[in-house]
């Protein structure tokens, strides 16, 4: 029987996953009034501003915190708390320096980035608030990485909720105020885009203040934890590495992670530039109409599909330090079993989520976004395979990073990026598929990463993925659920319950149908259910009704 210890990363990942879903739902809810305030065009400016910001974020936030969690976990497993302290201090200094540099580039270079690089001058205003945000996030990322490395996701989870709540409130209020100010400015000078541009800037102000509030919370928690850390440092009799050595270790660990993050996440930035250029060559397209299409893809489709993907993202956060700790202890045989459980857990969530979003695409889009069109619905209906592919690629990336094989993730992301851009150019430039070409390229990117990562893992760990219980049973269960959800939704609509109630009830009952079919087909066992928060309560309930 699988021990609770071996499922620890699942438990921690589940805690963060639940929080991530809550955070995504909050983000989804506040984007509804934000979308209604600034429209598709404004959301396009908002999304364009985030493209260079995302690249800067890879440098100042994603690489070093992941390295911190990995190195802290490895040193903690060996009882080297002096090194744990030095890793934190040095990482904080490096991250803050990078954050100041990237923040300055974003803030002072906003005009050049918006006009010359992206080709959308009106997104400049939304970029301005994102510069200081990078400085805040660089510090916050290191603290989160530290707590993840010592084996607790609670501070990260609470800080994410605080960040998103503040972000939601401030974004709506500031977007409304600045949109009205921009509309007044438009009426004075005879233009028609400052309202949307200023409104988009309001959303990024919320991003900054949300991050700042979360940082204050994390600093408070770290001060409380630092007493325990100092006590463990005093007990550690082993000589610590020099700060120079620690800096080199952090750098050599972080650089591949940063490169992978840049390649894995810059695809959106690159595809936005390529999409703009190609669409402008087509007769009848204007920058406003192109921005509106891009706003639909990023502000509606990607926002919705990232909600279930966030479960695998959260799981990946817990995988990196956990796998690093096992590697430091030489427990290579344990890793294959943990990886299999991680992928299975991810698929149990991702596959039904993809099916559910596809089946309920029209009611979900119509409830959340008004007005909406056929493009909005079709993107979601046909693009949800991305949920499964990005979930797998995220988990396998984290596994390779955790075992110290980051170079393979860089290779897979580089190969995928080249193919992704080629497919995008073909679909949009040659076949004139417009935003649907972006969707196909987006899916191709994740597919290539999955394939290359799978070959690398199979070679390194002599690992063979189990398919029947991991993929086939969840898929069959999700298909049954899909038919049930469709029928239940249509039935409730026939009873004139309205879209919101009909959709909500069909999702709830569909989840029950999925779980029942999954249990009947033996797609999940007691140990796996017990590994999630409050899972043992669920196990007792299922045993009482003879489903387990």
């Amino acid at each position: 029987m699988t021990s609770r210890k071996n499922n620890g990363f699942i438990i921690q990942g589940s805690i963060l996953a639940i929080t991530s879903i809550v955070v995504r739902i909050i983000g989804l809810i506040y984007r509804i009034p934000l979308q209604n305030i600034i429209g598709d065009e404004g959301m396009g400016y908002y999304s364009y501003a985030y493209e260079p910001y995302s690249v800067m974020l890879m440098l100042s936030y994603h690489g070093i915190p992941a390295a911190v969690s990995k190195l802290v976990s490895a040193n903690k497993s060996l009882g080297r708390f002096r090194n744990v302290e030095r890793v934190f201090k040095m990482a904080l200094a490096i991250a803050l320096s990078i954050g100041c540099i990237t923040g300055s580039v974003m803030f002072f270079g906003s005009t050049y980035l918006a006009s010359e690089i992206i080709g959308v001058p009106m997104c400049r205003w939304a970029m301005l608030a994102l510069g200081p945000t990078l400085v805040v996030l660089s510090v916050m990322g290191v603290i989160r990485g530290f707590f993840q490395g010592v084996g607790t996701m609670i501070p990260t989870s609470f800080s994410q909720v605080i960040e998103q709540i503040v972000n939601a409130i401030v974004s709506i209020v500031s977007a409304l105020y600045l949109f009205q100010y921009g509309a007044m400015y438009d009426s004075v000078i005879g233009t028609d885009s400052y309202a949307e541009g200023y409104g988009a800037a309001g959303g990024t102000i919320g991003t900054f203040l949300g991050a700042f509030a979360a940082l204050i919370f994390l600093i408070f928690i770290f001060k409380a934890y630092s007493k325990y850390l100092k006590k463990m440092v005093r007990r550690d009799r082993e000589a610590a590495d020099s700060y120079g050595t620690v800096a080199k270790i952090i750098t050599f660990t972080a650089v591949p992670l940063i490169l992978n993050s840049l390649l894995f996440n810059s695809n959106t930035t690159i595809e936005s530039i390529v999409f703009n250029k190609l669409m402008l060559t087509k007769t009848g397209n204007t920058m406003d109409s192109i921005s509106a299409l891009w706003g639909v893809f990023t502000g509606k489709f990607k926002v919705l599909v990232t909600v279930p993907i966030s479960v695998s993202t959260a799981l990946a956060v817990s995988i990196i330090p956990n796998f690093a700790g096992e590697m430091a202890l030489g427990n290579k045989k344990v890793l294959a079993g943990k990886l299999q459980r991680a992928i299975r857990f991810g698929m149990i969530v991702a596959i039904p989520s993809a099916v559910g979003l596809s089946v309920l695409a029209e009611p979900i889009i119509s409830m959340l976004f008004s007005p909406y069109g056929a493009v909005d619905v079709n993107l979601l209906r046909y693009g949800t395979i991305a949920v499964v592919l990005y979930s797998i690629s995220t988990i396998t990336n984290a596994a390779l990073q955790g075992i110290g094989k980051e170079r393979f993730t860089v290779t897979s992301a580089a190969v995928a990026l080249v193919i992704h851009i080629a497919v995008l150019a073909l679909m949009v430039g040659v076949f004139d598929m417009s935003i649907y070409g972006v969707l196909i390229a987006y899916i191709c990117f994740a597919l290539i990463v999955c394939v290359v990562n799978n070959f690398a893992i199979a070679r390194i760990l002599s690992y063979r993925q189990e398919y029947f219980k991991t993929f086939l049973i969840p898929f069959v269960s999700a298909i049954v659920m899909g038919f049930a959800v469709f029928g239940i939704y249509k039935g409730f609509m026939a009873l004139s319950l309205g879209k919101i109630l009909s959709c909500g009830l069909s999702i709830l009952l569909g989840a029950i149908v999925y779980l029942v079919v999954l249990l009947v087909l033996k797609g999940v066992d007691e140990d796996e259910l017990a590994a999630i928060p409050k899972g043992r309560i669920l196990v007792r309930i299922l045993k009482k009704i003879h489903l387990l």
Side-chain angles (χ1 to χ4, degrees):
M1 181 178 289
T2 305
S3 68
R4 186 174 180 85
K5 179 181 177 181
N6 285 337
N7 276 330
F9 76 104
I10 296 286
I11 296 170
Q12 292 296 323
S14 298
I15 293 171
L16 194 55
I18 293 170
T19 305
S20 296
I21 292 174
V22 171
V23 166
R24 297 286 183 179
I25 290 173
I26 295 172
L28 189 60
I29 292 172
Y30 94 76
R31 278 188 179 236
I32 297 170
L34 183 63
Q35 176 88 32
N36 293 334
I37 291 169
I38 66 178
D40 285 342
E41 184 182 340
M43 288 303 295
Y45 297 146
Y46 180 84
S47 300
Y48 282 128
Y50 266 86
E51 304 311 336
Y53 169 75
S54 297
V55 175
M56 303 292 182
L57 197 61
M58 298 305 108
L59 296 171
S60 58
Y61 181 74
H62 284 271
I64 292 178
V68 169
S69 70
K70 181 179 176 180
L71 295 173
V72 166
S73 177
N75 281 287
K76 178 175 175 287
S77 298
L78 300 172
R80 303 189 66 186
F81 283 92
R82 291 180 183 272
N83 269 4
V84 168
E85 184 181 48
R86 292 202 169 188
V87 164
F88 175 77
K89 290 180 178 179
M90 183 53 65
L92 193 61
I94 295 172
L96 185 57
S97 299
I98 296 174
C100 289
I101 293 170
T102 55
S104 297
V105 170
M106 193 74 188
F107 185 86
F108 296 108
S110 59
T111 301
Y112 178 80
L113 289 170
S115 301
E116 303 300 326
I117 302 300
I118 298 177
V120 186
M122 289 308 300
C123 72
R124 174 209 170 192
W125 313 106
M127 289 184 183
L128 290 174
L130 295 175
T133 307
L134 289 167
V135 181
V136 173
L137 287 176
S138 65
V139 177
M140 182 166 65
V142 173
I143 300 175
R144 283 177 173 173
F146 173 82
F147 281 118
Q148 290 156 14
V150 299
T152 176
M153 302 295 168
I154 302 299
T156 297
S157 297
F158 274 97
S159 68
Q160 285 181 341
V161 173
I162 293 171
E163 180 181 4
Q164 193 67 304
I165 290 174
V166 174
N167 179 17
I169 296 171
V170 174
S171 291
I172 294 170
V173 174
S174 57
L176 181 60
Y177 173 78
L178 289 176
F179 182 87
Q180 293 172 343
Y181 180 82
M184 181 180 66
Y185 190 67
D186 278 330
S187 66
V188 171
I189 65 173
T191 56
D192 61 0
S193 291
Y194 277 94
E196 289 81 2
Y198 284 6
T204 58
I205 291 173
T207 303
F208 167 68
L209 290 179
F212 187 75
L215 176 61
I216 297 301
F217 169 79
L218 284 171
I219 290 174
F220 176 78
I221 298 298
F222 183 80
K223 282 186 173 294
Y225 183 85
S226 62
K227 296 177 182 179
Y228 169 78
L229 178 60
K230 289 177 181 178
K231 181 174 73 174
M232 298 307 294
V233 168
R234 288 193 296 269
R235 291 181 179 180
D236 183 9
R237 300 304 178 192
E238 189 170 347
D241 295 330
S242 67
Y243 279 108
T245 301
V246 171
K248 289 179 182 177
I249 294 172
I250 292 173
T251 302
F252 284 120
T253 304
V255 166
L257 297 174
I258 292 172
L259 286 175
N260 174 69
S261 295
L262 280 170
L263 291 168
F264 200 77
N265 293 280
S266 65
N267 63 322
T268 304
T269 303
I270 295 173
E271 73 182 355
S272 69
I273 297 171
V274 174
F275 178 68
N276 288 349
K277 302 296 184 185
L278 291 173
M279 288 295 287
L280 284 173
T281 65
K282 308 294 180 181
T283 304
N285 289 326
T286 64
M287 199 63 245
D288 289 349
S289 65
I290 295 170
S291 295
L293 279 175
W294 192 252
V296 170
F297 180 72
T298 57
K300 295 179 182 177
F301 168 75
K302 288 185 73 173
V303 166
L304 287 169
V305 298
T306 52
V307 174
I309 292 173
S310 66
V311 173
S312 294
T313 303
L315 193 59
V317 171
S318 68
I319 284 174
I320 293 176
N322 187 276
F323 279 35
E326 296 289 359
M327 285 294 289
L329 297 173
N331 296 333
K332 293 183 179 181
K333 292 182 180 180
V334 178
L335 293 173
K338 286 192 171 187
L339 177 58
Q340 188 172 97
R341 286 194 294 278
I343 294 177
R344 182 181 299 162
F345 183 82
M347 292 304 96
I348 285 174
V349 175
I351 292 174
S353 298
V355 173
L357 284 172
S358 182
V359 170
L360 295 175
E362 192 278 333
I364 289 174
I365 289 291
S366 65
M367 285 191 306
L368 297 178
F369 306 105
S370 179
Y372 72 98
V375 172
D376 309 41
V377 175
N378 289 335
L379 285 175
L380 187 61
R381 179 171 290 150
Y382 303 120
T384 53
I385 183 62
V387 173
V388 177
L389 295 175
Y390 273 91
S391 294
I392 297 172
S393 61
T394 300
I395 292 171
T396 52
N397 263 348
L400 287 168
Q401 291 166 3
I403 62 177
K405 303 298 181 182
E406 297 91 347
R407 67 181 184 277
F408 288 100
T409 65
V410 175
T411 301
S412 66
V415 172
L417 183 60
V418 172
I419 296 175
H420 167 256
I421 298 304
V423 171
L424 177 63
L426 183 66
M427 294 296 109
V428 178
V430 178
F431 294 111
D432 199 16
M433 295 186 68
S434 184
I435 200 67
Y436 296 110
V438 177
L439 176 65
I440 293 171
Y442 177 75
I443 292 170
C444 283
F445 180 88
L447 177 61
I448 298 302
V449 172
C450 289
V451 171
V452 177
N453 281 1
N454 183 65
F455 278 117
I457 289 171
R459 176 184 171 187
I460 296 165
L461 296 179
S462 299
Y463 174 79
R464 293 189 65 180
Q465 179 62 49
E466 182 276 330
Y467 290 97
F468 186 77
K469 193 175 179 181
T470 302
F471 297 103
L472 184 58
I473 291 179
F475 177 72
V476 172
S477 304
I479 293 298
V480 174
M481 177 207 73
F483 280 109
V485 165
F486 182 79
I488 293 168
Y489 175 74
K490 290 296 184 182
F492 283 139
M493 285 296 290
L495 295 173
S496 301
L497 294 185
K499 279 190 177 181
I500 295 177
L501 186 57
S502 297
C503 193
L505 289 173
S506 61
I507 291 172
L508 177 61
L509 294 174
I512 295 173
V513 170
Y514 173 73
L515 179 59
V516 170
V517 177
L518 192 68
L519 290 168
V520 170
L521 296 178
K522 309 295 183 184
V524 64
D525 57 37
E526 181 178 335
D527 284 337
E528 290 164 339
L529 286 173
I532 63 175
K534 305 300 180 182
R536 297 192 180 279
I537 297 175
L538 178 60
V539 167
R540 287 197 295 269
I541 294 172
L542 292 172
K543 283 184 174 180
K544 285 182 179 180
I545 59 177
H546 305 293
L547 280 175
L548 195 65

